[in-house]
Amino acid sequence: MENIRIIFVLAAKYSDEYEAAEIMLQAFEACKQNVSTNVSWVKELEFESLELNKTDFVVFEKFEGNNFENLKTSKCARILGPWAVSVCLMDGKSVPNFPWPIYNVAMYNCIVTSSYLHKNVKMEIKSKVELMGGCYVDTLVSKNTHLVTGSAISEKYLAAAEAGVKLMCPSWIDDVWNVSQNVNIHGDDEQFLKHKCLCFQNLTVCSTGLSNVAERQKIEKLVAENGGTFTGKLNLANTNVLVCCGKVGLNSDKYKAARQKPNIKCVTVDWIIDSVSKGYALPHDDYQVQRITSTPTKEAVNPEFSILSAIGGPNISQRTWVEDTIASPFSPRKAKDNYGDLVENLDIKKAKKAGQYLDGCSVYVTGFGAEHTEKLNKILNLSGATRYDNFSDRVTHVIVGDHTFHEAKLIQSKGTSSLLVSIRWLIDSIDQEHPVNEDKYLISASQMEGSQLGSPLSKKGLNLLRSNRTVTEKEIEVNLGDSGNVEEKMEEDCIVQHYLGQANTEEDTLARLLDGANTNLSKGVQEPPPSTLQFRPADTSTQQSTMSGTQDDTVNDKIFENKKFVLLGFEEEEYQELKERIQGFCGELVPKSFKGIPDYAVVPIFNKTEVRHTVTEIVNDLFISECMREEELLTDIAYYHRPFDVPDTNPLENCVITISSYGGTERVFLKNLIEALGGLSQEQFARVRNVAKKVVASTHLVSSEATGKKYEASLKWGLPVVSKDWLLKCAETGKKAYEGDFLIGDSKGEK
């Protein structure tokens, strides 16, 4: 104890300690009376020459100035605020044993994490929690006391609620911080209960089938009183939960449209009641509404034949998709492809050249043999998708080989929002370099059941279903006998037209200008957290054909062999994904405490993390993705492989920017940079807004070449065509740079 010193720094504006703030004087007197050790004042101008050690405590009236910043960086002494000193001594508390500066102890014994918030908000929460004597951790751990969340829809929220962790809104942190500047309070005090995260916090809830007005008003009131917004109109982009009641709800247009969207959870009314009773939003799966099929009519062809709806874009004409194994009586189709042959014929090099064609999707593979599964996994690793080795209800697409495989049936029976699609969906997505519409690739329950349905088909009819030839209309009639024809009714296109909006025939987009250019937009899907439901990979006896082992079909899976990586600054979900990718290609992941020198420190693209490790190279996660795609460890590290500092000024606010001629990883980086600078990166180059297609008018074209149809269109429309250097300049200065300095070719765009 004799070595401990408590040093009070007297600000330069005071001539002596008696002019210091009242709280500083109180803290000093409390130390003199209660601590039998060295307590003294040091003038700010003399502080720089003072020799400090780790047993010293330095008290600043305000956490600002050169002395504070230098001491915080050096960490040669503990930094306290006068409130922290006074409260700990008065209440008999020990000073929190943390290395960061502690201004007060309003978060004493609080271990806080957060969920569903922007990274900048999380960083602000972390800073304030630590200044108030608490501890912030990125992941949910057993000792967590509070979760700060922006919404009640994340898995982290559910896990915290079930563990009894206190659920709070971000406003809680700000309120506690403001009040604690002048008053001795604690974050758990009753006055802050108003910031508790309610069970439907920031959720938008819609209903269908609630014909009873009183019941509907009751649900609406419960949602509103518990932090949610109740709406009668289903908005597919913004709605989180659709409450379905009875057969009316299950047959409604709202339900039919909502079940196509993985972001909308369709639940029973009990979910609302039970969630309010428990005090937090319960798991949706426990209240999942089971999907139903329309009632067969007398004109149906065969109950074994799956008719998929033609729901797609607003202009798609009505089509009936018949099960691949059978031909329509009026338009014969090719018989079902052999999925094993399709996998073997997949060209890995072609898939690699397609780039991030499944960016935003999360994919699980089932119903394939071990060799085929391995090849598909290698292809998916290069696709930009998040690939899962175990199924989770957060998976967006399940690629199924053998339709009758038991795991595929189990997934289908759970009624999750995951879409079960055939291998053809992956093949066509590679061809078009973006996720294609799933409608004609969906696998129905009847396809999975095979011969198990109760349809009175003869043995010959069942064999026809498995045959590799086209079935004629006559053969269908012969095998049906007197059972009659059955054909499921299609869900009308008006459902999607009603909720997605009608197409604008007066649009003036680049597609119209160029007479039908491809204007499909890549599908954006939130990256899900790690899987929790465990399934073993499929390996069936019906899949014994070997994969052709040609040189073109092999992937170098030892890209990172003998290389050591340290991951810094990533959220838990991002960390786990990168860990799997690096280790999957023979890289070694080392902890932050690693004594040697890692080959690479991997940080987020727009890094705010200070790299204090000695490493050979500092790269971002795009470097890892491109190495995997190129199947080699890149020696030339490009500018877009490095971490990039982005200002908080949003210089590209109100700018709608399309990228042309830049490709691959560089294109991904530039798209992310545009968004980070406050702009909107839009694939479609458009002159005017099209609400139905969710397209807004473009303001800039970023291109490396003064050629191409988009370039020509920009000249016609009078829009500036600039190089990527314009974006980099905006990021460097934090201001919107003058386009005239970065125009390419004959562009005459205006500022």
Side-chain angles (χ1 to χ4, degrees), residues 5-32:
R5 293 185 299 173
I6 302 179
I7 301 168
F8 285 76
V9 180
L10 185 65
K13 63 182 178 179
Y14 303 132
S15 58
D16 57 50
E17 60 267 27
Y18 298 107
E19 295 181 2
E22 184 66 25
I23 186 61
M24 285 286 281
L25 294 175
Q26 290 177 4
F28 182 81
E29 288 301 320
C31 288
K32 292 290 288 184

Side-chain angles (χ1 to χ4, degrees), residues 201-222:
Q201 194 74 38
N202 291 335
L203 295 185
T204 300
V205 180
C206 186
S207 69
T208 181
L210 288 173
S211 55
N212 187 300
V213 176
E215 184 72 14
R216 187 179 185 279
Q217 290 177 342
K218 177 183 176 182
I219 297 301
E220 183 175 357
K221 182 180 179 182
L222 286 175

Side-chain angles (χ1 to χ4, degrees), residues 41-73:
W41 289 93
V42 174
K43 292 185 177 181
E44 187 174 0
L45 297 177
E46 300 172 359
F47 183 79
E48 294 181 2
S49 60
L50 197 65
E51 292 186 6
L52 300 171
N53 57 60
K54 293 186 178 181
T55 60
D56 292 333
F57 290 84
V58 180
V59 183
F60 287 94
E61 180 181 333
K62 294 183 178 181
F63 282 7
E64 59 185 31
N66 292 334
N67 288 329
F68 170 75
E69 295 295 338
N70 293 335
L71 184 59
K72 182 174 71 170
T73 303

Side-chain angles (χ1 to χ4, degrees), residues 414-428:
K414 287 183 174 295
T416 67
S417 59
S418 305
L419 301 176
L420 280 73
V421 294
S422 68
I423 186 65
R424 275 287 179 190
W425 175 78
L426 176 63
I427 294 171
D428 290 353

